Amino acid sequence: MTQKHRVLTGITTTGTPHLGNFVGAIGPAIEASKNPDAQAFYFLADYHALIKCQDPKRVAASRIEVAATWLALGLDTNNATFYRQSDIPEIPELTWILTCVTAKGLLNRAHAYKAAVQINEEEKEKDPDKGITMGLFSYPVLMAADILMFNASKVPVGRDQVQHIEMARDIGGRFNHIFGPTFVLPEAVVDEKTAVLSGIDGRKMSKSYDNTIPLFLPEKQLRKIIMKIKTNSQEPSEPKDPDSCTLFEIYSAFATKEEIQSLRARYAQGIGWGEMKILLFEYLNAILKDPRERYAEFMADPARIEKILLEGAQKARSVAAPFLAEIRKKTGLLPFA
């Protein structure tokens, strides 16, 4: 019997899930959860959230919103293991063990850390590490532990996260070199088409820019925010470039090839921006209507979500606990008798 390959991904719980999250991570992950040939691990990255956010109310609200979103969109929890990162005590223990074999020079090269240092240098700070926490600096080690704990061979990520998968490979490889073969070295899986989605202002859709389109806005609010999407001043009769248009980009992330081709023809004919915005609203609203109703049901019954996550944590720990015992043995952390 062929052993199933393991796929793992997570989403940081620092805000309300939006269309960009769905296109870049949640949607592909949910589809993968239905693949009987894969063993899928999906988690709420709530330890990671503490690196970026020290607002307890926001973190708490985001955890339940993210969980309800995945479930409402059809995550197959019978086939996939769905859990909170903070419910798996083996993960922080493995993080420390991996920290002890991780070169500081490797972490110095992490993009997030380098970007924070660069900001301090540009602002002429005496200390280039001003305001940088060990959480930010050590983030790649925690991410490596998330992945290596379950020996995931495939990790779906956006392009901006590829470096962290490479670092997880380096860290796992270093451990294997010192203590013997232990970890599967993961590979990043990037969907180049859907890795990044633009927001209402034309920049990358991000909570940081406050330009997101939340997934489960009520119908009237969804229409209102789509009508705010930035466009140029071309008249309805003028041919328009679909490849430089946020409206077309968002539509294309959800549409079929035939629908995209048909809409390209309408751009060439000079579709009006108001007409296009209404078309996009109606298209997205039809897709999100049923999941929106399921989301509301989950949000009204947090005990149901808690039960699902605790069952997922039990499944995850059934893998993590014996594996960590093996790692402890390899590193000399043995009982005396």
Side-chain angles (χ1 to χ4, degrees):
M1 182 178 178
T2 304
Q3 186 176 1
K4 294 183 179 181
H5 71 273
R6 288 181 178 174
V7 178
L8 179 142
T9 197
I11 185 168
T12 309
T13 54
T14 54
T16 301
H18 53 74
L19 291 184
N21 295 142
F22 174 76
V23 169
I26 303 174
I30 287 172
E31 283 305 306
S33 78
K34 301 170 184 177
N35 180 1
D37 297 323
Q39 194 174 9
F41 291 80
Y42 300 128
F43 65 95
L44 309 182
D46 47 1
Y47 280 145
H48 288 292
L50 302 182
I51 298 169
K52 303 177 182 178
C53 183
Q54 281 79 49
D55 181 346
K57 290 183 179 179
R58 182 177 176 185
V59 171
S62 181
R63 289 164 94 226
I64 191 169
E65 288 173 352
V66 171
T69 296
W70 285 55
L71 295 170
L73 288 168
L75 181 70
D76 185 350
T77 54
N78 291 319
N79 190 46
T81 301
F82 186 47
Y83 58 95
R84 282 176 298 227
Q85 185 184 37
S86 59
D87 283 336
I88 315 300
E90 291 81 8
I91 289 174
E93 183 173 347
L94 179 58
T95 299
W96 177 250
I97 293 172
L98 295 177
T99 299
C100 294
V101 301
T102 300
K104 179 178 179 292
L106 179 68
L107 300 184
N108 286 343
R109 296 190 290 274
H111 296 323
Y113 173 65
K114 288 174 67 177
V117 169
Q118 183 177 349
I119 290 171
N120 283 334
E121 290 175 343
E122 290 173 351
E123 295 178 354
K124 309 298 183 183
E125 296 289 351
K126 292 182 180 179
D127 181 4
D129 286 326
K130 181 181 178 181
I132 298 174
T133 66
M134 285 305 298
L136 175 66
F137 185 71
S138 302
Y139 169 84
V141 187
L142 176 56
M143 189 166 177
D146 290 326
I147 298 165
L148 299 175
M149 182 85 265
F150 299 102
N151 275 325
S153 58
K154 305 290 183 182
V155 185
V157 291
R159 287 192 294 270
D160 59 340
Q161 291 288 315
V162 170
Q163 186 199 40
H164 288 128
I165 309 307
E166 294 171 347
M167 294 174 85
R169 288 179 62 88
D170 289 341
I171 293 167
R174 178 63 179 165
F175 186 97
N176 290 351
H177 176 73
I178 296 170
F179 297 107
T182 305
F183 297 116
V184 171
L185 303 185
E187 294 180 8
V189 179
V190 180
D191 187 332
E192 295 294 343
K193 177 187 174 186
T194 59
V196 178
L197 200 64
S198 297
I200 61 174
D201 60 359
R203 294 182 293 177
K204 174 186 175 182
M205 191 176 292
S206 169
K207 295 182 286 289
S208 302
Y209 296 145
D210 193 27
N211 67 350
T212 66
I213 302 175
L215 264 172
F216 297 125
L217 282 175
E219 191 170 313
K220 288 184 179 179
Q221 291 183 33
L222 178 63
R223 181 187 177 107
K224 185 176 180 181
I225 199 169
I226 287 176
M227 297 304 288
K228 291 181 179 179
I229 293 175
K230 185 178 179 180
T231 55
N232 61 33
S233 57
Q234 286 183 282
E235 295 293 330
S237 58
E238 295 181 69
K240 298 173 178 65
D241 178 15
D243 296 321
S244 62
C245 177
T246 298
L247 297 166
F248 185 85
E249 178 188 322
I250 294 173
Y251 179 89
S252 298
F254 293 86
T256 65
K257 289 181 179 180
E258 291 74 20
E259 289 169 333
I260 293 170
Q261 199 62 33
S262 175
L263 187 59
R264 277 188 178 278
R266 295 182 67 179
Y267 266 70
Q269 294 163 5
I271 188 171
W273 292 132
E275 182 184 356
M276 179 57 205
K277 288 178 179 181
I278 292 171
L279 185 156
L280 178 61
F281 159 70
E282 291 177 347
Y283 191 86
L284 290 179
N285 193 54
I287 291 172
L288 297 174
K289 182 179 179 181
D290 290 343
R292 184 192 295 139
E293 292 176 0
R294 292 194 295 270
Y295 176 80
E297 291 171 1
F298 276 112
M299 289 296 289
D301 190 1
R304 182 182 174 193
I305 300 176
E306 182 73 9
K307 182 175 182 292
I308 292 170
L309 288 170
L310 290 179
E311 289 173 350
Q314 187 176 8
K315 286 168 63 178
R317 293 197 68 196
S318 71
V319 175
F323 189 40
L324 184 62
E326 178 187 334
I327 293 167
R328 279 172 152 259
K329 183 178 180 181
K330 288 188 174 186
T331 55
L333 302 176
L334 296 165
F336 294 153

